[in-house]
Amino acid sequence: MPKIKTNRAAAKRFKKTGSGKYTFSKSHHSHILTTKSRKRKRSLKKMQLIKKSDMREVRLLLPNG
């Protein structure tokens, strides 16, 4: 039986936490920052947790953690 491959695009976007949840960083925080408010830029910096409804899909994309 062949090995299960990890989706490389997903591997670059999601990180697994110690408790088994997945985190990701928000988009729109790389350029054209002068038009965005301080509050918006602050919230874009933070890592977000994957929602429960999307967890199954991420697990299938990242079978090896």
Side-chain angles (χ1 to χ4, degrees):
M1 188 166 202
K3 291 181 179 179
I4 299 170
K5 289 194 174 182
T6 298
N7 181 293
R8 297 311 297 161
K12 291 166 189 171
R13 286 166 175 80
F14 305 113
K15 299 268 183 280
K16 197 172 188 180
T17 62
S19 60
K21 296 174 184 174
Y22 288 91
T23 61
F24 67 99
S25 65
K26 288 185 173 181
S27 58
H28 306 293
H29 194 259
S30 58
H31 61 93
I32 316 175
L33 298 175
T34 52
T35 58
K36 294 165 190 165
S37 68
R38 283 183 184 181
K39 182 179 178 180
R40 185 173 168 195
K41 287 186 276 192
R42 243 191 341 267
S43 71
L44 288 172
K45 263 191 239 177
K46 298 173 187 171
M47 295 292 278
Q48 302 291 309
L49 286 173
I50 291 287
K51 292 191 172 68
K52 205 173 187 178
S53 56
D54 298 326
M55 202 65 132
R56 184 177 175 275
E57 190 71 30
V58 174
R59 279 203 197 106
L60 289 172
L61 292 170
L62 303 171
N64 302 317

